[in-house]
Amino acid sequence: MFLGVNAESVSVKDVFSSSADMRMPPYQRGYSWTQSEAGDLLSDLRDACTSETPYFLGAIVVIQEKTRAPSEVVDGQQRLTTLTILLAVLRDLAEAKDDATTLHTLIGQNGRSILGDRPKWRLTLNHVDTPFFREVVQKRGATQNAHAYTTDSESRANMLAIVDAFREELAQISPETRTNLANFIMNSCAFVRVRVQDRDAGYRVFRVLNTRGKQLSAHDILKSDLFERAGFSNKEAMAFSVTWSEFNQRLSSKGFDDLLQQIRTIYDKSMRGALIQGFRQSVLRQIPARRFISDALPKFVQAYEQISGDDPNARHPDTRVAARLGCMRALEHGGWRAPALKYLVDHAETPDGAARFFDDLERIAFHMQLVVVDREARARRYRRIMTAMADGEDMFALDSPLNLQKDEKKRLSDRLRSRINSPRQRRAIALRLNAALPDGEVLSPEADATLEHILPRHPKNTSDWMRHWSDDALRRELVDTLGNFALLTLQDNQAADRVGYDAKREIFFRNGGTYALTREIKPIDDWTPDHVAARRDRLADALAQDWKLI
């Protein structure tokens, strides 16, 4: 320890060790991460696990006056809480008792006291949220029953939503994949833990970590390597440096790094190791650095802008292609982006066939999202599509990897009649369905169109909804299906939250019913299980016809 500050690299397993007793200060704000931040973390962890790349979770700052004393968390509450939720969900989904026990030891264990056995928890939130956190997350088996809880607290609602989202996503993957992910999180994910001995030092470190310095981006590192390999003269280096900076401004630093990752995916069949090493070993072995910077990169930047949709002026000129790209952007997985990028770059001068290609790619992308839960299987399919493109195959042949085969069409068609698992999947399918309806319109993911469950996901037992929906099993079966979905502006969605059906309809149609999917329920006077089931089948048929599944 130097000047009262000790910094060390520690694994997740070490942070949540048997000696851990991390507590939030009583004045600390509540848990504030939403499904968006938590979903990004889980996605990053799953990607890192698949590529076998160690993952850095950032720095946490704790105040610990003595070695074995409890530590007060100054910085890191959101990540530590989210990781605890994730570990708890993996624990409660584990099929092997030993796996569940191992995971639970990172959350808590029984401790001896004069009053008998009491759990010793690794993480304690503020005094308001802690009892709820123990009940719905930390206790063994708690996340299995989290859906039964309701709350008016924003921080607790965030916890419930993230438990729900994590369970829905992780329940879809195989037990072996979950075990691998759990082991990866415990052993291959690391924090920098900064320990200080008093609060003044703790907040000084917090301010330094959060207000000073900027992490070097992947494109910054690759720029130096590429320029050196290209052998630019000083004049050339100056000119290309200006162009490189313009690309960074157009895409943002995060977008530029993501573009390089997508380019690497196009050229690297193994996808092992970190981005920079993989880029050097795959892309630069096939495209010389000078040609990549001067010729390939500008085309990729233009195509990436069309895919990302961030700049309305840079979207694809074919409205049908732009619409399909928008529908795919709403999906949770991004595996479709590499083949989309390759097609846009390879066919930039010959746009004929683009609309048909992206019709088929969009259908494949939704099939990958809704039917294929194995990420590696998705990656293999997209790899087959890119290989077929590189080999000059007929992409519209019946046996093309871009085409859904008969059994795949049936599985996707059947899937449209079942529960849609995660919030982002539900919104993606609702936006796509809106365009498939006779009077529907194409909506981009950026549109002010939020998904509304007409029957609330967790109605109160005393509410009027229970007149038709008292059967818990039937309610769970239908609440997350197409038949129960509507689209509303954010303002209307907030107003419609948990009110009765008649009140919801007044909100839905006070402005004439903004979206086709919402207007579609206007003739339905009462919201019963029979109505929802019939609407589910009708909407599934409409989308199946649009995708040529039947």
Side-chain angles (χ1 to χ4, degrees):
M1 183 170 287
F2 178 70
L3 298 179
V5 178
N6 173 271
E8 56 183 340
S9 175
V10 287
S11 69
V12 167
K13 195 172 183 178
D14 292 332
V15 169
F16 291 95
S17 68
S18 59
S19 62
D21 185 359
M22 297 175 286
R23 304 178 185 184
M24 301 303 155
Y27 49 81
Q28 184 78 280
R29 66 173 179 166
Y31 182 61
S32 62
W33 269 21
T34 66
Q35 293 175 54
S36 177
E37 291 94 350
D40 287 345
L41 176 61
L42 178 55
S43 180
D44 288 348
L45 291 172
R46 292 187 64 186
D47 287 344
C49 180
T50 299
S51 63
E52 299 178 0
T53 305
Y55 188 81
F56 178 53
L57 287 157
I60 56 175
V61 182
V62 299
I63 302 166
Q64 192 172 29
E65 296 179 357
K66 298 179 181 179
T67 302
R68 296 188 177 277
S71 55
E72 188 174 277
V73 178
V74 176
D75 188 20
Q77 174 185 197
Q78 309 302 324
R79 283 165 291 154
L80 292 170
T81 306
T82 306
L83 278 172
T84 301
I85 294 172
L86 178 54
L87 293 169
V89 170
L90 287 167
R91 172 200 64 196
D92 294 340
L93 288 172
E95 295 188 355
K97 185 177 180 181
D98 288 347
D99 289 346
T101 299
T102 298
L103 287 165
H104 186 67
T105 60
L106 302 182
I107 299 168
Q109 68 186 51
N110 285 338
R112 307 292 296 182
S113 75
I114 59 174
L115 298 177
D117 285 350
R118 282 189 174 182
K120 178 184 178 184
W121 303 110
R122 312 294 180 226
L123 185 66
T124 299
L125 305 185
N126 62 41
H127 69 284
V128 175
D129 289 334
T130 287
F132 188 81
F133 187 55
R134 303 273 195 254
E135 193 66 28
V136 302
V137 174
Q138 290 179 302
K139 290 182 179 179
R140 292 191 75 152
T143 66
Q144 295 172 331
N145 304 310
H147 63 273
Y149 289 85
T150 59
T151 178
D152 294 327
S153 161
E154 182 179 356
S155 59
R156 298 178 203 177
N158 288 336
M159 292 181 212
L160 285 176
I162 290 167
V163 168
D164 196 24
F166 280 175
R167 280 191 64 85
E168 287 181 338
E169 178 170 349
L170 296 174
Q172 296 182 71
I173 63 179
S174 68
E176 180 183 4
T177 303
R178 286 198 298 267
T179 299
N180 290 340
L181 177 62
N183 288 332
F184 175 82
I185 293 170
M186 288 188 288
N187 300 305
S188 299
C189 296
F191 288 99
V192 168
R193 181 172 58 196
V194 182
R195 287 192 289 192
V196 298
Q197 292 182 330
D198 61 73
R199 288 185 177 178
D200 287 344
Y203 290 115
R204 283 197 300 271
V205 172
F206 172 81
R207 286 194 296 271
V208 168
L209 290 174
N210 285 276
T211 61
R212 299 179 189 173
K214 181 181 177 183
Q215 186 176 355
L216 205 59
S217 300
H219 66 268
D220 292 323
I221 300 171
L222 277 172
K223 175 186 173 183
S224 299
D225 192 20
L226 285 164
F227 278 38
E228 182 178 343
R229 289 171 182 251
F232 288 143
S233 66
N234 289 339
K235 184 177 180 180
E236 288 175 322
M238 287 289 292
F240 282 116
S241 183
V242 170
T243 302
W244 192 277
S245 297
E246 290 174 352
F247 291 159
N248 187 34
Q249 290 178 357
R250 285 164 60 180
L251 303 184
S252 79
S253 183
K254 183 179 180 181
F256 204 169
D257 281 0
D258 182 59
L259 169 62
L260 296 174
Q261 177 66 42
Q262 299 307 316
I263 296 172
R264 181 227 176 151
T265 302
I266 293 171
Y267 291 94
D268 188 353
K269 293 183 178 180
S270 70
M271 291 300 291
R272 298 293 183 187
L275 166 60
I276 294 170
Q277 180 184 6
F279 194 96
R280 290 168 177 158
Q281 293 178 348
S282 57
V283 180
L284 297 183
R285 285 183 179 178
Q286 300 177 62
I287 308 178
R290 177 179 284 265
R291 182 157 62 87
F292 176 80
I293 296 171
S294 62
D295 181 43
L297 184 58
K299 295 177 182 177
F300 277 115
V301 168
Q302 181 180 10
Y304 188 85
E305 287 182 310
Q306 293 174 353
I307 287 171
S308 67
D310 292 335
D311 182 358
N313 298 319
R315 290 177 183 171
H316 197 280
D318 187 322
T319 56
R320 191 162 139 192
V321 172
R324 296 295 169 253
L325 289 170
C327 289
M328 288 188 286
R329 277 203 312 279
L331 293 169
E332 281 186 319
H333 83 284
W336 59 271
R337 291 183 299 165
L341 197 66
K342 179 173 175 57
Y343 186 92
L344 291 172
V345 168
D346 290 352
H347 298 272
E349 306 302 326
T350 55
D352 294 344
R356 185 177 178 186
F357 175 87
F358 282 99
D359 279 350
D360 289 351
L361 182 62
E362 183 221 49
R363 185 174 64 170
I364 281 282
F366 272 88
H367 175 76
M368 292 293 106
Q369 184 69 74
L370 297 172
V371 177
V372 181
V373 298
D374 186 335
R375 287 190 170 198
E376 293 184 9
R378 291 177 187 167
R380 288 194 296 269
R381 181 61 169 266
Y382 288 126
R383 169 60 55 195
R384 285 173 55 206
I385 291 172
M386 289 188 288
T387 299
M389 292 164 64
D391 293 344
E393 295 180 14
D394 180 2
M395 299 307 297
F396 307 121
L398 291 177
D399 61 349
S400 166
L402 186 63
N403 187 40
L404 284 182
Q405 301 305 304
K406 185 176 180 180
D407 63 320
E408 292 176 321
K409 290 180 179 179
K410 184 179 187 307
R411 288 202 298 273
L412 180 54
S413 183
D414 291 344
R415 183 70 180 84
L416 294 175
R417 288 165 172 77
S418 61
R419 295 179 65 241
I420 306 300
N421 296 301
S422 77
R424 190 167 175 182
Q425 287 181 30
R426 292 191 282 264
R427 182 172 186 263
I429 199 73
L431 293 174
R432 181 61 182 87
L433 182 56
N434 196 76
L437 295 175
D439 62 341
E441 60 271 41
V442 173
L443 297 171
S444 75
E446 296 77 31
D448 182 16
T450 63
L451 186 118
E452 165 71 6
H453 287 79
I454 301 167
L455 164 70
R457 299 191 75 238
H458 303 292
K460 293 182 178 179
N461 291 330
T462 57
S463 72
D464 189 54
W465 289 105
M466 291 303 168
R467 183 162 54 95
H468 296 302
W469 295 95
S470 58
D471 185 329
D472 289 348
L474 184 61
R475 191 171 66 246
R476 284 195 296 269
E477 176 189 343
L478 292 174
V479 71
D480 287 325
T481 63
L482 299 185
N484 194 46
F485 295 166
L487 287 170
L488 297 177
T489 64
L490 178 60
Q491 182 179 1
D492 284 346
N493 198 321
Q494 291 172 337
D497 186 34
R498 294 194 182 181
V499 300
Y501 181 59
D502 290 340
K504 281 198 175 191
R505 291 183 78 214
E506 289 183 13
I507 295 169
F508 288 178
F509 301 114
R510 63 188 176 188
N511 296 318
T514 308
Y515 304 112
L517 184 60
T518 306
R519 295 192 296 269
E520 208 266 347
I521 73 166
K522 195 168 187 177
I524 304 175
D525 293 327
D526 207 359
W527 205 247
T528 69
D530 287 343
H531 282 128
V532 174
R535 183 172 183 257
R536 172 199 62 194
D537 294 341
R538 184 171 69 252
L539 294 176
D541 285 342
L543 195 48
Q545 289 175 5
D546 206 47
W547 275 334
K548 299 180 175 62
L549 303 179
I550 54 178

